[in-house]
Each structure stands twice: as structure tokens, then as C-alpha cells.
Amino acid sequence: MFKNHIHSMRVEDFAPMISQHGPALMAFVGRIVTIQEDAEDVVQETFVTAYEHLNDYAPEKASLKTWLFRIAYHKALNHLRRRKRQLEIPFLVGEDVPDELPDTTTAEQLDEAIQELPPEDQMLLQLYYFDQRPLKEIAYITGTASDSLHREVSRLSSQLHRIRQRLRIILTRLKDE
């Protein structure tokens, strides 16, 4: 619907796009930016930026929804970086740490552990596990897509492995507290 006339869109024509994609963006951003008002601000900034950069949208690279997720991803990361969350977990994890989560992990414990991860890792988990986006699409959203898609997918796969290891370390620490 939007692909054919997106570059000539007027402000008043933008409302259907917001209605169609706003809830998905709010769910995505809201899981990472946990303060409701802040999440709403990030989504609003996403649509403002999208409108201002309609001429940059290239439908041959990604769907409109994926392009909006890319903008929201970067807006949410910038928001979280401004809040300067400090981490107490190691960034380097040895190969001896398994990446399977303990079987007794509850949803609440997992959510608490995810909140301790860096914003980039939280967003990657969100995109891959909760939104079930393919790695190729995540590479586009995160803006890390390179000339070699195979290399980029491999890098993201390794990054997800390290994130799962960090989660295991955090969960072990939380259970010991």
C-alpha cells in the first residue's frame, strides 16, 4: 500500500502508517525501554524520523516495517545510552560457559537477567527470540549488514551465543543472591 507512493506522502497520509505499524513498534521498543512514557517518545521519534527521511526508504532493501524497526532500534539504543546504564557483568566470556539457560529459570528471572545486559544485547535478543526475525533482517535493522551476508549472519550468530552465556552467568549470580 505504501511502497508505491511513500516518497510523495503528505503528513496527513502518514496516519495509516502509524496505525498499521505503531503497535508493533511500541511492543518492540516497550520491551527494552521499560518506562512507558519513554517508550512512547522513542516510537514518536521513530515516526518523525521516518517522515523526515521518506526519500531514504529503499523498498528493494527491506520492507517498510523492517525499515521502521531499523529506525526504532537506533532511537531506542540512543535513549538507553543517554541513561548510561552501568553493567556489573563481564563482557568477555570463556568458552567453558555453556549457553543453555538453567532449566529452573522462571520468566521473571530471565527478564531480570536481560535487563542487566547492554542495550545492544537486549535489542538483539528482542529481535531474534521475541520478534523471531531472521538474522538477515536483523543485520539490516541493526545497521551492521556488510558486503558478505554470510559473514554478517555468522557474526550475529556468535554474538547471540555470547549473549546466552552472559545470561547464564547473570542467572547463576541472581540465584546465589
Side-chain angles (χ1 to χ4, degrees):
M1 174 177 171
F2 299 109
K3 289 182 183 178
N4 295 337
H5 71 282
I6 193 163
H7 296 294
S8 61
M9 189 176 285
R10 299 171 303 167
V11 174
E12 55 271 15
D13 298 331
F14 209 64
M17 184 188 303
I18 294 170
S19 296
Q20 182 177 358
H21 299 291
L25 287 172
M26 190 62 203
F28 170 63
V29 171
R31 288 188 202 108
I32 306 302
V33 178
T34 55
I35 298 171
Q36 176 75 22
E37 295 81 19
D38 291 352
E40 290 170 358
D41 289 346
V42 168
V43 171
Q44 182 176 1
E45 288 175 27
T46 297
F47 282 115
V48 169
T49 299
Y51 184 78
E52 291 171 346
H53 294 276
L54 283 175
N55 289 331
D56 297 337
Y57 171 60
E60 67 279 1
K61 288 186 177 179
S63 69
L64 179 62
K65 183 177 181 179
T66 299
W67 182 66
L68 290 169
F69 266 73
R70 178 184 177 121
I71 296 169
Y73 169 85
H74 291 286
K75 293 289 181 189
L77 278 182
N78 288 338
H79 171 80
L80 292 172
R81 285 179 184 138
R82 284 192 304 267
R83 295 190 65 201
K84 296 182 182 177
R85 293 177 47 189
Q86 299 300 316
L87 306 171
E88 299 176 13
I89 58 171
F91 282 92
L92 298 175
V93 179
E95 288 301 316
D96 59 333
V97 177
D99 71 350
E100 297 85 20
L101 300 179
D103 292 337
T104 58
T105 302
T106 66
E108 293 80 19
Q109 291 168 328
L110 183 59
D111 190 48
E112 185 178 348
I114 289 172
Q115 293 303 314
E116 292 193 30
L117 291 170
E120 292 88 349
D121 291 351
Q122 290 182 38
M123 301 282 290
L124 186 57
L125 286 174
Q126 173 67 38
L127 289 166
Y128 188 72
Y129 290 107
F130 296 102
D131 294 345
Q132 298 180 342
R133 300 251 179 190
L135 289 175
K136 179 180 175 182
E137 200 171 299
I138 293 171
Y140 176 81
I141 290 170
T142 60
T144 57
S146 63
D147 292 335
S148 171
L149 182 60
H150 176 73
R151 184 172 54 238
E152 187 58 27
V153 167
S154 176
R155 188 194 68 74
L156 285 170
S157 181
S158 296
Q159 188 174 354
L160 283 165
H161 172 73
R162 287 189 303 278
I163 293 168
R164 287 188 304 267
Q165 288 178 317
R166 287 187 204 126
L167 278 174
R168 184 173 181 84
I169 291 169
I170 295 168
L171 286 165
T172 302
R173 189 195 76 229
L174 290 173
K175 287 179 188 237
D176 291 342
E177 290 179 353

